[in-house]
Amino acid sequence: MEFVIVTGLSGAGKSQAIKVMEDLGFYCMDNLPPSLLPKFAELCYQTVNHVKKVALVVDIRGGEFFDDLFDNLSKLKDYGYNYKIMFLDAEDDVLIKRYKEHRRPHPLSPNGQITIGIEKERKILENIRTKSDYLIDTTNLSIKNLQEKIKKIFMEGEKKDNFNISVISFGFKHGIPLDSDLVFDVRFLPNPHYIDELRDFTGNNKDVRNYVMNYSQSKEFLKKLIDMTTFLIPYYAKEGKSQLVIAIGCTGGKHRSVTIANELYRYLKNNNYKTIINHRDSEIE
């Protein structure tokens, strides 16, 4: 049985995520008390044609029940029920904006400041965030983007032990992607922004790519990046991780990071790694 625990920050998109899981054929339940996890898993297995895919939202709305989460996750493993954790996160200013737009109080600060509630929640969720198998940063994701990201993780017919690699280019001035496992800074490379005929293009442009990769430091860095990445991938997989997010950043996320991300993606794809690419900030002016 494919058993997924959906959790994360309030306002980060768990409700949307569980809708996508339902569309993918998961039996879904929202706000299940952690103490009921082992019994619920048992019931799913005892059905005549036992449920094949289950997704449960477990978060701080459970109040004091949430404190029992890790004990009950341990029980699941003791009973032979394997599970994955999908954690949704977003930057504080985006969470605050979403709360204000929907005029909702934060569950940990119903009569106070939203920032205080978010701070409390981050502390409570810190341990489960570090143990998550899938960490999704929804800061810059539309609902459609979130749907696509989840579908790529849990698409029908995929084996759950497959190892997925996401290569992301970004601009440091727009913030580091929260779901990054590895972050590489390429701001030391020559910048096409200062070349008039290249400034308005991105690293997807052939001339921009050739400009960046024409320098010896670019070639040497790419070689070392590939060596480091291919060295680390088996160890991440061995630890039970199902997803590795590699973020490549430059100042604005338009030229150098896009170029290097494309080169890394091309290498991984050509060597049969299951890889997707996302240029997060390339179209931001």
Side-chain angles (χ1 to χ4, degrees), residues 11 90-99 101 138-140:
E91 294 177 2
D92 287 3
D93 57 340
V94 172
L95 293 174
I96 292 169
K97 181 181 178 183
R98 290 174 183 172
Y99 268 103
E101 286 176 349
T138 67
T139 300
N140 296 295

Side-chain angles (χ1 to χ4, degrees), residues 253-273:
K254 187 173 181 178
H255 300 112
R256 295 166 291 181
S257 61
V258 173
T259 297
I260 297 299
N262 280 340
E263 295 298 315
L264 177 61
Y265 168 76
R266 190 174 296 114
Y267 174 86
L268 294 173
K269 198 75 174 175
N270 289 341
N271 284 272
N272 299 316
Y273 291 98

Side-chain angles (χ1 to χ4, degrees), residues 3-222:
F3 204 96
V4 181
I5 309 294
V6 180
T7 189
L9 273 292
S10 302
K14 298 188 296 295
S15 296
Q16 291 297 329
I18 205 69
K19 290 178 183 177
V20 179
M21 303 293 279
E22 195 167 24
D23 291 341
L24 292 175
F26 283 78
Y27 179 85
C28 300
M29 182 171 289
D30 190 12
N31 200 20
L32 184 76
S35 58
L36 297 180
L37 281 173
K39 187 63 177 178
F40 182 80
E42 182 183 351
L43 288 173
C44 290
Y45 270 105
Q46 287 178 349
T47 55
V48 177
N49 296 308
H50 71 258
V51 180
K52 300 293 193 301
K53 300 193 292 185
V54 176
L56 306 173
V57 176
V58 179
D59 55 30
I60 53 90
R61 287 175 296 167
E64 61 185 28
F65 294 113
F66 191 79
D67 297 336
D68 300 328
L69 178 59
F70 284 108
D71 287 341
N72 286 285
L73 288 178
S74 295
K75 289 179 182 178
L76 280 180
K77 291 219 166 165
D78 292 341
Y79 297 159
Y81 304 139
N82 294 318
Y83 62 85
K84 298 290 185 183
I85 299 174
M86 181 168 69
F87 191 100
L88 279 74
D89 202 346
E91 294 177 2
D92 287 3
D93 57 340
V94 172
L95 293 174
I96 292 169
K97 181 181 178 183
R98 290 174 183 172
Y99 268 103
K100 288 184 175 179
E101 286 176 349
H102 293 91
R103 299 182 180 180
R104 293 167 48 205
H106 191 280
L108 293 183
S109 186
N111 299 310
Q113 293 182 329
I114 297 172
T115 52
I116 295 175
I118 293 173
E119 184 179 355
K120 290 179 181 177
E121 189 174 20
R122 285 201 183 281
K123 289 180 180 178
I124 294 172
L125 297 176
E126 185 176 358
N127 285 337
I128 194 169
R129 186 183 192 277
T130 60
K131 298 179 185 300
S132 63
D133 299 281
Y134 311 105
L135 177 57
I136 300 179
D137 175 10
T138 67
T139 300
N140 296 295
L141 294 183
S142 65
I143 292 176
K144 183 179 180 181
N145 293 151
L146 176 60
Q147 291 171 343
E148 291 173 349
K149 195 154 191 168
I150 294 173
K151 286 177 180 178
K152 284 177 180 176
I153 295 173
F154 299 104
M155 65 176 59
E156 187 175 357
E158 288 293 332
K159 293 182 179 179
K160 66 178 180 179
D161 58 353
N162 275 358
F163 193 76
N164 301 281
I165 303 172
S166 296
V167 179
I168 302 174
S169 69
F170 73 95
F172 277 95
K173 70 179 184 180
H174 304 299
I176 298 174
L178 292 177
D179 51 354
S180 305
D181 295 299
L182 300 172
V183 178
F184 296 95
D185 184 349
V186 296
R187 286 176 292 187
F188 68 94
L189 298 179
N191 193 351
H193 175 79
Y194 298 109
I195 308 299
D196 291 341
E197 57 267 30
L198 299 179
R199 182 177 299 120
D200 294 334
F201 297 100
T202 73
N204 291 319
N205 177 271
K206 181 181 178 181
D207 292 333
V208 173
R209 182 265 174 203
N210 290 341
Y211 175 86
V212 174
M213 295 309 302
N214 190 47
Y215 289 85
S216 60
Q217 59 263 47
S218 301
K219 296 173 184 175
E220 185 175 358
F221 173 78
L222 179 62

